[in-house]
Structure formats: C-alpha cells, structure tokens
Amino acid sequence: MSDAATEMPHADPADETLMQVDDLKVHFPVTEGLLNRQVGSIKAVDGVSFSLRRGETFSLVGESGCGKSTTALAALRMQPVTAGRILFEGVDITHYSQAQMRPIRRRMQMVYQDPFGSLNPRMRVRDIIGEPLVVHGLAGDKVKYKARVRELMALVGLLPDMADRYPHEFSGGQRQRIGIARSLALDPSLLICDEPVSALDVSIQAQVVNLMMDLQEQLGLTYLFIAHDLSVVRHISNRVAVMYLGRIVEIADRDPLFDTPRHPYTEALLAAVPVANPVIEASRPQQIVTGEVPSVRNPPSGCHFHPRCPKVMPECKTETPALRPRDDGRLIACHLYD
Amino acid sequence: MSEAVQSATATPLLLVEDLSVSFRTDRGTVRAVDSVNLHVDAGETLAIVGESGSGKSVTAMSLMRLVGDNGTVDSKRVLFDGIDLGALSEAQMRKVRGNRIAMIFQEPMSSLNPVLTIGKQVAEPMVLHQGLSWREARRRAVTLLQRVSIPDPEDRLDSYPHHFSGGMRQRVMIAMALACDPKLIIADEPTTALDVTVQAQILALLKDLTRETGAAQILITHDLGVVARYADRVAVMYGGRVVETAPAHELYANPQHPYTQGLMASVPSLDGDPGKRLQTIPGQPPDLANLPPGCAFAPRCPYARDECRQAPPPLEPIAPQHLRACYGYE
Ligand SMILES: Nc1ncnc2c1ncn2[C@@H]1O[C@H](COP(=O)(O)OP(=O)(O)OP(=O)(O)O)[C@@H](O)[C@H]1O
Ligand SMILES: Nc1ncnc2c1ncn2[C@@H]1O[C@H](COP(=O)(O)OP(=O)(O)OP(=O)(O)O)[C@@H](O)[C@H]1O
Ligand SMILES: [Mg+2]
Ligand SMILES: [Mg+2]
C-alpha cells in the first residue's frame, strides 16, 4: 500500500513522484555462538511504504532506533534491502548493481548529522566540496573545477577565500554548510538529510534551516528529512511520516498531523515534545504514555504500540493494523479507525 | 509578585558569588566561566541555558570543584545550605559530593559500572556515606527503584546495566542520586540521549522529587522547550557569563538581553508560522581563548556600540527577580 494511491487524480504520477518505496523491509540477522548461527532477526524496517513528490520536504520522525536512518539508507541503496521495491524517477532500482547505481547516485545525495566527523580533516575545503565531481569524472579542467566549487560555496554562503582552509578552522554551522555544498556538487534532485541540524547550536540551527529552505526553492530540490526536533520538522516539512519500531503508523500533511494527530502514538509523541512557551506548557497534558520503548529485537505482537497505548483494544494485541488511507486523506495504521 | 518578593528575601539553598573558572591549554588561558552569580531556592528548579561551550557544565562541575588538573576555580563564596564550599578541604568536599549534592549526567551507560549489579550500585553509596548495613541498604534500594518507576524492583536488583534500556538506566542513576537525600540535584543534559516520551517521564520525575523533598535542582539543557516545561527560573549563559536571569514565564514573555531575544526568536515553535524564514543570530559563537574585551555578544549584537566593546556589562536588576548584563539599547 503506497500513499501514491491518495494523490490527486489530475496529477500525472510519473511527473509528480520522484521516489516511491513499497513495502520496504530491512532485516538484520542476529547471530549467536562460534558458528554465527542465525537465531533471529532485527526487523529494523518492516514493511514501510511512502512516496516523495518532486520539490517537497517529506519528514520521517519517531523515537531513536525506530528505523528512520535505515529506511533512508535502504532507499538510497546504501543498505541491503531484504524485501520491497524502490522506484526512482519511475525506474525500479531495487535490484540495480553498483555499476547501474552510479549514474543514479548522482541524483540522490546524503547530508549527514555530524559536521565534525563527516569531513576529511586532511583535505582542503575546496577538495572536500569538489571531490564528488572528481569521483564521477566531472571535474573538467582546473579552471572549470575551481569555478564550480566557488559557485557551490557561494550557494551555501561560504566566502571564496575559505576554499584553501581545513575543516578544523570552521565552526559547526560552517562545516554543515561545507557538507551541504558537497552534497550539491553533482546537481542532485533528492537530498536525504539525516539529522542535519541536530549537532548545531540553537542560534546556528536557524541559519542552516533557512539555507536549506532557500536552496530547495532555488534548485527545486526534494528533501527526505529526518530529525528529532519536531518544531524543526514542522517548520520545514510538507508531509510527515511517523514511525514506531520499524513501521509507519501515520502519514499526513504537516498541518493536520500537528493540529490533530490521530494515531495514539503520534498524539503521545507530540504531547511529549516540550514547546518553548511556559504559558502553553502549563495548560498542556504533560504525559500520555508511560512505559519503555520496547526493543526491536523483540517487538510486541500485533500493533507494536499496544503495550503503551492508552486506547488499546483486544484486537491490537493480535492483529497488525495496516497503513490505510482514511476519509480525511491521511494514512493511519490503527484499529481505532478500521 | 508576593512569591517573587519572598524568595528574593529568604536565604537561598545555594548562593554562588563571583565564580570564575579558567583552564590552561596550549592555546592559552581559556576563561570558561567568568564572574558568575547564581542562586537556587529549596524546591526550585533553575535551568541554565546557552550555546555549546558557553560554560554551563563547567559552572556546575566547579560547584563541586571537579574541573580537572588544568582548571582553576575562583569564587567570592559558594554558600550551600549554610556552608561555604569554597573554604572546604578536599576531604570535606568529598563528603558533600554524592551525598548532599547529587549529579546526573547525560551518559547513563558510562556512569554505571557494567560489571556490578544494579542493586549493588544503588545500595553502595548508602553503605559508604550513611553507614547502613548492606541488608538495610538493599531494602532502601528497592524503595528508591520503585520511586523512579522501575517495574518489579526486587527482581531487578540482581540485573546488570546492559539488561536495562537507556531510560531505565537513567532512572537508576536518579535513584542513586536520591539515595542519600541530596539537597541539591545537578542534572546536566540528563535526557539528551533519550527518546522524547521517556524524556518527559524522567524530567517530570526529577521535578516532582525536587518539589517533594525541598531539594534544589540545577537543570542544564540547550532545549528551550524543556526549560519552558520544567524550570521555575532560568539563567542564560553566553561566553562564560550569565547574561540574563529571570523566572521562566517572565523570560519567555519578556526577554531583555539581545542574545536571549535572538535565541528565543531563532527557535521554530510548534505554533509558529511554518515555512517562513527563521530569525537568526548572524555570526558565530565566541572563542573563549580569545574573548573580546567588552561584551562577548557584541560582535553579533545588532545594538552594539563603542561602550559594549570596552568592558563587559555587569548583571543588574531591571525588574524584580529579572537581571540582565547589557548596557541597554532602548
Ligand atoms: N547494521 C546493523 N546491524 C544490526 N542492527 C542494526 C544495524 N543498523 C541498524 N540496526 C538496528 O536497527 C534499528 C533501527 O536503526 P536506525 O539507525 O535506522 O534507527 P533511527 O530511527 O535512525 O534511530 P536514531 O534516531 O537513534 O538515529 C535499531 O534498533 C538499530 O540498532
Ligand atoms: N578541562 C578543560 N580544559 C580546557 N578547556 C575546557 C576544559 N573543560 C571545558 N573547557 C572549555 O570550557 C568551555 C565551557 O565548556 P562547558 O563544557 O562548560 O560548555 P557547555 O556550556 O556545557 O557546552 P555544551 O552545551 O556543549 O555541553 C568550553 O570552551 C570548553 O572547551
Ligand atoms: Mg538515525
Ligand atoms: Mg555541557
């Protein structure tokens, strides 16, 4: 089941949809003993479906370990896929070889969380940003290469004279700009941004969020955005998918999701996020769920959320609810709405 | 208002005057904390917020004089429940640490010993600091684990840390912190590594305990949402100094330091106007080894004038309980 089914009928799906992911599964084996006998599996991603529309920001949210990064990496084919199907610009890339992936990889790039760890400390900024061009044989002559790097630096608000410096001479926000410039070198259409601002200071976060929104507008980029900070997610997203233990429990446009969350987990998640306003805080429910986030190694039966769900019903313990389109256009996986 | 007057006159549980900490490094002297004044009342939660590197953790650690060999702590006085901590010997200080003052850190895994059972780790400080027998201490450990909502605490005493989830380990840390009835709880980013639903459980627990036992809590965080939900008062740090302090509701409604204003404005809110450009603070946070002579925020401040670049402005009251370190821009 993909939410492409709920797209407006007049739109040509081939044009609108940049990427479509159907029933994606990524399972990791759990092995034991000297012979590495497989004794089980971690279903890090367990039947996830969504589609990305051209030019939109689609966010994946959910607690630590629920499978957001694994979903994103698998969609990029940077993580072996156990089952499911990935279409990129209408082409099924699920079983592409690495050689077949090369030209596709130019079109989808990753922006990482850690602006400190992800840049090679021994390379000059120019070569960090230009490396993808060299790797893909697109660097051209020296003059062209330098001009392209200068252009990329200008795009993300770095000064040209910074090109000869090394990463340690830069602050966190500047390093993240370097990382973004690098990811734009090959003119991608899709950027996968895994916690791109989480490691940044509050006052620097806003600079990078603005930059990302400007670049999206200028370059028509599509973002698959992963973040813990739901205020940032609300600010930047068009649509949001909420994950819990390897599955999507709700997909909706931004406003309905934040204004009237309908899956009990979405509701609990939003209630748990403190907002930066003591007046609102004083009048909000402080806690909806109790209990621990269960382990993916040993997920609860039926709906994974049922042991913590305040609205649990008998069938929730035995039957896995399907992610289905509901009358208001959103997709929810919950027996309450069946 | 009457509440404000009352706590301003009563002796606070913790009173910090002119606290400074510097570190010798190969880049020169780093002045991590510079003439900080703070106070926390019994039952109160004071949040310390600010950018990374603004001196929040060093301030907290220096109260217990835990700053490492290359650090120097200086203070006019650090008055805690009537004792001047600055005047204590190292041996006397050791008794206060982990007994009357409890610290909770970000990383629960590295603070628990992986080869000792949970029961032993929770009971041990009570045996060491309070002279309880092991049997008695284990009995108290069960009560404490119950208090921090660990299910089946009796059965859990013989578990090892790796059997617990991150949230449970953090709750064990809190149980340990409470074992000796601390008067001051210092929680340094206690939930940064945890999920938001678990974060809510833990911060609510700390806040309730502070209220119930009449302890004081210093909560260090960079999350302005957490501050809004759990703090009574807030101290905002920038470049090693407290630049503004006020009751939480007052600070959010009426931020008076340009840095605080910039900080508040740059946080996207859950009820703001999505899609709009966020306000930013241009420029970069200061380098503490190379601070400007005046206000550390001056290079990024839209209102900075000559005066601001000459000497740092003192922290002065601008309303009851509301202090600001700024020469003004009105
Ligand atoms: N290579 C691997 N081998 C085994 N388990 C893995 C592997 N990679 C991820 N996992 C597990 O899969 C689950 C999902 O991990 P993932 O990194 O996708 O979570 P996430 O939602 O991105 O979390 P976070 O918010 O903490 O980044 C986790 O339980 C993780 O431990
Ligand atoms: N042992 C040390 N030696 C040298 N410098 C130190 C030492 N400890 C801390 N510092 C410096 O002191 C400054 C303040 O550090 P502190 O850890 O208090 O920041 P913080 O406000 O807690 O930041 P964060 O939000 O990142 O935790 C930093 O610039 C840090 O590099
Ligand atoms: Mg991740
Ligand atoms: Mg710190």
Side-chain angles (χ1 to χ4, degrees):
Chain A
M1 186 71 247
S2 132
D3 66 326
T6 65
E7 270 168 13
M8 282 169 288
H10 64 262
D12 175 7
D15 266 342
E16 271 269 300
T17 306
L18 180 67
M19 175 178 264
Q20 187 173 326
V21 172
D22 291 327
D23 208 16
L24 179 71
K25 292 184 182 166
V26 181
H27 296 179
F28 297 107
V30 180
T31 55
E32 213 178 72
L34 285 175
L35 298 173
N36 278 332
R37 204 164 44 89
Q38 186 171 345
V39 292
S41 64
I42 294 175
K43 299 179 174 170
V45 179
D46 199 23
V48 159
S49 303
F50 61 89
S51 63
L52 303 180
R53 300 173 191 159
R54 259 177 226 280
E56 80 168 341
T57 299
F58 182 84
S59 292
L60 285 179
V61 304
E63 311 224 347
S64 181
C66 70
K68 305 179 295 292
S69 299
T70 309
T71 301
L73 287 172
L76 282 183
R77 295 281 327 280
M78 288 165 73
Q79 174 76 66
V81 171
T82 309
R85 196 171 69 132
I86 302 155
L87 300 181
F88 184 71
E89 295 184 324
V91 180
D92 186 342
I93 60 165
T94 322
H95 303 289
Y96 266 27
S97 66
Q98 288 309 317
Q100 284 174 302
M101 276 308 289
R102 257 179 87 89
I104 307 263
R105 198 131 281 156
R106 287 171 47 187
R107 320 269 305 131
M108 32 201 223
Q109 290 286 316
M110 188 95 184
V111 178
Y112 293 94
Q113 163 174 6
D114 180 6
F116 302 91
S118 57
L119 305 179
N120 183 339
R122 273 184 284 276
M123 277 168 75
R124 291 179 197 278
V125 165
R126 167 177 302 113
D127 297 315
I128 291 174
I129 295 175
E131 189 179 43
L133 295 168
V134 177
V135 169
H136 283 265
L138 300 165
D141 60 46
K142 219 170 179 143
V143 177
K144 245 182 85 186
Y145 174 71
K146 282 195 169 177
R148 176 65 180 148
V149 171
R150 213 176 311 124
E151 188 183 19
L152 288 163
M153 290 179 70
L155 206 53
V156 300
L158 292 170
L159 302 173
D161 68 354
M162 294 173 170
D164 291 314
R165 297 202 219 151
Y166 292 91
H168 72 261
E169 298 172 55
F170 292 88
S171 68
Q174 286 171 327
R175 286 186 230 201
Q176 198 54 298
R177 286 174 197 267
I178 296 169
I180 292 174
R182 176 187 159 93
S183 72
L184 293 175
L186 298 169
D187 252 331
S189 46
L190 173 62
L191 278 195
I192 300 204
C193 312
D194 195 350
E195 308 269 5
V197 295
S198 315
L200 303 178
D201 277 345
V202 190
S203 75
I204 303 301
Q205 242 184 42
Q207 297 177 7
V208 175
V209 167
N210 282 346
L211 170 68
M212 290 186 60
M213 293 177 76
D214 291 346
L215 289 171
Q216 180 169 47
E217 206 175 293
Q218 273 178 54
L219 306 174
L221 296 167
T222 305
Y223 290 148
L224 176 57
F225 191 84
I226 298 175
H228 269 123
D229 185 332
L230 290 182
S231 316
V232 171
V233 167
R234 175 172 176 270
H235 188 79
I236 203 169
S237 310
N238 300 100
R239 289 188 305 139
V240 181
V242 181
M243 287 186 74
Y244 191 75
L245 286 193
R247 297 177 184 160
I248 291 180
V249 297
E250 183 164 2
I251 298 182
D253 287 347
R254 176 195 53 217
D255 289 342
L257 189 100
F258 282 94
D259 296 347
T260 50
R262 289 185 62 197
H263 193 286
Y265 174 64
T266 312
E267 214 179 324
L269 187 69
L270 291 183
V273 179
V275 301
N277 182 331
V279 181
I280 294 179
E281 275 304 331
S283 62
R284 283 175 88 211
Q286 295 290 294
Q287 203 173 337
I288 293 186
V289 295
T290 51
E292 299 294 325
V293 183
S295 134
V296 263
R297 283 185 75 149
N298 203 355
S301 60
C303 170
H304 287 345
F305 188 56
H306 87 254
R308 303 174 73 199
C309 182
K311 297 173 182 162
V312 63
M313 305 179 296
E315 62 263 43
C316 305
K317 296 174 187 163
T318 52
E319 278 163 58
T320 303
L323 185 68
R324 292 209 186 97
R326 311 292 162 166
D327 42 20
D328 61 354
R330 68 175 102 188
L331 291 98
I332 309 173
C334 178
H335 292 306
L336 276 178
Y337 304 102
D338 282 348
Chain B
M1 185 65 212
S2 67
E3 195 188 298
V5 171
Q6 195 197 355
S7 57
T9 48
T11 313
L13 189 62
L14 176 74
L15 177 70
V16 177
E17 286 181 346
D18 264 340
L19 176 73
S20 297
V21 183
S22 45
F23 293 101
R24 274 165 283 110
T25 72
D26 37 352
R27 293 176 54 233
T29 302
V30 170
R31 199 146 169 84
V33 175
D34 189 6
S35 320
V36 159
N37 293 299
L38 289 175
H39 67 93
V40 200
D41 292 331
E44 186 183 45
T45 296
L46 172 75
I48 303 183
V49 301
E51 309 266 358
S52 177
S54 60
K56 306 182 293 293
S57 299
V58 171
T59 299
M61 296 304 273
S62 67
L63 297 178
M64 310 218 286
R65 267 193 274 143
L66 294 171
V67 290
D69 294 339
N70 63 333
T72 316
V73 183
D74 220 355
S75 65
K76 190 165 147 212
R77 53 180 184 159
V78 177
L79 212 53
F80 168 61
D81 204 12
I83 318 163
D84 187 357
L85 295 183
L88 295 187
S89 69
E90 182 50 35
Q92 289 168 314
M93 191 68 209
R94 218 171 299 137
K95 282 206 183 123
V96 174
R97 258 180 238 144
N99 185 5
R100 318 223 20 236
I101 303 181
M103 284 212 68
I104 299 161
F105 299 98
Q106 176 175 346
E107 271 296 321
M109 200 52 197
S110 52
S111 329
L112 287 172
N113 187 334
V115 301
L116 294 181
T117 62
I118 295 292
K120 177 140 173 94
Q121 296 189 60
V122 179
E124 186 161 18
M126 295 183 278
V127 175
L128 292 183
H129 288 297
Q130 298 178 322
L132 296 191
S133 71
W134 274 104
R135 256 190 67 190
E136 184 57 31
R138 270 178 77 91
R139 203 161 32 228
R140 273 215 65 199
V142 172
T143 320
L144 286 165
L145 291 176
Q146 205 154 31
R147 216 153 141 206
V148 297
S149 311
I150 300 281
D152 313 316
E154 247 143 306
D155 303 339
R156 291 304 209 154
L157 284 185
D158 298 319
S159 305
Y160 289 88
H162 67 267
H163 295 141
F164 281 24
S165 73
M168 286 167 78
R169 287 196 289 261
Q170 193 57 296
R171 266 178 263 171
V172 171
M173 288 299 300
I174 296 173
M176 289 170 67
L178 298 174
C180 300
D181 286 322
K183 286 247 128 151
L184 176 65
I185 300 170
I186 300 175
D188 191 350
E189 314 252 7
T191 56
T192 310
L194 301 177
D195 294 318
V196 280
T197 57
V198 178
Q199 161 177 294
Q201 294 169 24
I202 286 182
L203 292 176
L205 174 72
L206 279 174
K207 172 115 193 181
D208 290 348
L209 288 167
T210 305
R211 285 235 174 95
E212 278 165 30
T213 63
Q217 181 180 198
I218 296 179
L219 175 64
I220 298 174
T221 176
H222 59 267
D223 184 331
L224 291 177
V226 164
V227 174
R229 185 179 286 192
Y230 301 101
D232 300 306
R233 259 178 339 105
V234 190
V236 182
M237 289 190 73
Y238 191 84
R241 290 179 150 250
V242 173
V243 295
E244 183 163 8
T245 165
H249 56 90
E250 160 81 4
L251 190 82
Y252 282 79
N254 192 18
Q256 286 293 314
H257 192 282
Y259 171 66
T260 317
Q261 292 169 351
L263 190 64
M264 298 276 178
S266 63
V267 180
S269 72
L270 273 178
D271 60 343
D273 196 356
K276 251 180 66 177
R277 288 184 69 79
L278 293 172
Q279 267 195 59
T280 62
I281 305 178
Q284 305 295 336
D287 173 3
L288 292 183
N290 229 327
L291 279 175
C295 171
F297 189 60
R300 302 173 76 186
C301 180
Y303 310 108
R305 27 175 224 266
D306 287 347
E307 191 180 11
C308 308
R309 297 185 193 94
Q310 276 146 21
L315 187 66
E316 285 171 342
I318 49 174
Q321 285 223 76
H322 194 160
L323 290 81
R324 167 183 84 164
C326 176
Y327 292 119
Y329 45 82
E330 289 80 9

